[in-house]
Amino acid sequence: MNGNALGLIETMGLVCLITSVDAMLKAASVELASPIIKLDGGVVSVMVRGDVSSVRAAVEAGAEAASKSGELRAAHVIPRPGQAIVQAYAGGSR
């Protein structure tokens, strides 16, 4: 997998995030780039990686699934992220 884009989804609650991750992984050829990130107040987040078009499709599918099952807080795609971003947030040099 090329892995030249990161996609982020942030939701309120774990069940909503799991539903979103399921939709993302089924919608496009992406892989998880991080474990579930727990933030304050029940906000959780996760990142996926893959080529830019696959990550865009996955984030769109994940955002739609999260909106239907709970509260979507944020959805974002970072094409061609710098190596420092990948190391800081995705854990290591992938």
Side-chain angles (χ1 to χ4, degrees), residues 6-93:
L6 287 177
L8 299 93
I9 292 279
E10 182 177 280
T11 66
M12 180 63 83
L14 185 59
V15 173
C16 183
L17 184 68
I18 291 170
T19 303
S20 176
V21 169
D22 181 53
M24 287 193 291
L25 295 177
K26 289 177 180 176
S29 180
V30 295
E31 62 184 17
L32 287 176
S34 73
I36 293 173
I37 302 165
K38 298 175 186 175
L39 305 170
D40 288 338
V43 177
V44 287
S45 181
V46 74
M47 288 190 288
V48 296
R49 64 184 298 117
D51 62 83
V52 176
S53 60
S54 294
V55 170
R56 284 188 203 272
V59 169
E60 287 176 9
E64 183 177 336
S67 296
K68 289 180 180 178
S69 68
E71 181 182 343
L72 174 68
R73 300 292 300 255
H76 191 68
V77 175
I78 303 172
R80 298 176 310 280
Q83 190 61 32
I85 298 294
V86 173
Q87 288 177 346
Y89 297 104
S93 57

